[in-house]
Amino acid sequence: MSEASVSAPRATSSRQVRLGMLTPSSNTVLEPVTAAMLAGVPDISVHFARFRVTAIGLDAAALGQFDDRPMLAAAELLADAKVDAITWNGTSAGWLGLDADRRLCERITEVTGISASTSVLSLFDVLRARAETRIGLVTPYTDDVQQAIVAGFAREGVEVIAERHFGIRDNFSFGVVTRETIAEAIEAVAADGPQAISILCTNLIGAPLVADLEERLDVSIHDSIATALYGALEAAGLPPSCIKGYGRLFEAGTNAGMQGRASA
C-alpha cells in the first residue's frame, strides 16, 4: 500500500483543527497509523487520551473496562486541549451493541459540548450509505466475541457472510499480528464475494494494506482506524477526502455523512 500523499489538498482554509481520540491503553497501532494517515494534511493535529483496556472478552472483568466513567474522564481531558471533535477509537460496540456507542457520543457531548463520533458508528454510516449489507469480517478476537459481533451486526441489518478471527484475548497482542496474516485473512474472506470487508479492531495494522488489497481484490475494505478517522473528520466539519492513499473510504464523492450517527 502506498503512503498518504504529501501533496494532499489543504483540509481547512486557515484555522488549526484538533482531533481528540479516546484510545485503549494497550493499543500500540492506532497512534502511529493515524499520524501517518494525516501526515500529508496541513492544519490538522491529533491528540490522544488513554484509559485502561487490556483484554477483550465477554466476562464481567473485560466488559467492565468499557464503563462510561473512565471514557468520559478521558474525554474531559481532551476537552482541555480545545479539540474540535472527540472520537472513541475502539470497537466495543461490535459486541456491546451500537446503542452503547450512541449513548457514549451523547454523554461526551453533554459533558464537554464537543461533537463526538466512534469507529463503529462511522463504519455503519458508511455501510448504510453504500447499501453494503452483506460483508466479510476480519478480527483478532476469540470465538465468543466474534459470534457476538456477528449477531450484533445482524440486529443492525448487516449480514456477515464470511469471517476470519485469530482467537486472541490480550489486547496488546493484537498489535503484533503481522501484515501478512491480516492480508491472508482478508483474501480468504474476499473469496466468498462480500459487498465489503470490515477489519474490526483499532490495534490491527490493516489500514496500510487497504489500498493495494482493494485494487487487487476489487472489494471495499473498511478498517477500524480508518473509519475512526473518517468519523472524526466529519464530526469536526472536514471532508474525509483530504486523506489520500488509504483506499476507497476516503475518495471524494463517497462520503457517507454523520447526520444519522448509524441510527437504526
Side-chain angles (χ1 to χ4, degrees):
M1 139 102 215
S2 58
E3 293 297 325
S5 169
V6 295
S7 59
R10 296 183 71 82
T12 66
S13 56
S14 59
R15 71 184 181 104
Q16 177 71 27
V17 174
R18 291 174 289 273
L19 303 178
M21 303 295 198
L22 297 174
T23 307
S25 60
S26 52
N27 188 310
T28 60
V29 172
L30 167 65
E31 289 156 313
V33 169
T34 303
M37 295 175 79
L38 286 168
V41 185
D43 302 330
I44 300 177
S45 59
V46 61
H47 308 272
F48 300 88
R50 290 174 178 254
F51 67 96
R52 189 170 302 282
V53 177
T54 58
I56 300 301
L58 300 184
D59 56 285
L63 293 176
Q65 297 170 117
F66 302 104
D67 181 278
D68 279 358
R69 286 169 292 183
M71 301 173 82
L72 292 173
E76 289 186 274
L77 295 178
L78 287 171
D80 289 346
K82 301 188 185 304
V83 295
D84 295 275
I86 296 175
T87 298
W88 163 220
N89 284 255
T91 54
S92 53
W95 55 92
L96 296 176
L98 266 64
D99 281 346
D101 272 11
R102 294 176 182 126
R103 289 192 299 269
L104 177 63
C105 286
E106 291 172 358
R107 290 169 181 166
I108 289 172
T109 301
E110 287 173 1
V111 168
T112 66
I114 297 170
S115 181
S117 65
T118 79
S119 178
V120 174
L121 291 183
S122 296
L123 168 64
F124 274 82
D125 281 336
V126 170
L127 293 175
R128 288 173 177 157
R130 301 181 183 190
E132 295 168 344
T133 59
R134 301 176 74 254
I135 71 166
L137 179 67
V138 174
T139 85
Y141 306 126
T142 54
D143 292 347
D144 56 345
V145 173
Q146 188 80 345
Q147 291 167 9
I149 294 168
V150 171
F153 277 32
R155 288 192 295 271
E156 296 288 340
V158 174
E159 179 186 6
V160 175
I161 67 165
E163 64 85 18
R164 293 292 187 276
H165 59 287
F166 306 138
I168 306 171
R169 175 181 169 89
D170 176 60
N171 194 71
F172 175 83
S173 298
F174 303 160
V176 299
V177 175
T178 66
R179 298 183 185 211
E180 291 75 16
T181 297
I182 298 167
E184 288 170 2
I186 292 168
E187 290 166 356
V189 166
D192 285 335
Q195 294 173 303
I197 296 171
S198 168
I199 308 171
L200 195 75
C201 178
T202 60
N203 202 22
L204 284 180
I205 192 152
L209 309 176
V210 166
D212 286 346
L213 286 171
E214 285 184 333
E215 182 176 0
R216 181 155 55 86
L217 301 173
D218 192 25
V219 63
S220 294
I221 302 170
H222 307 317
D223 172 78
S224 289
I225 295 175
T227 61
L229 180 55
Y230 179 103
L233 290 167
E234 288 213 320
L238 300 176
S241 57
C242 68
I243 303 297
K244 303 297 181 183
Y246 286 90
R248 299 174 183 176
L249 179 67
F250 298 103
E251 291 178 357
T254 62
N255 297 344
M258 291 290 292
Q259 287 76 15
R261 293 286 171 85
S263 58

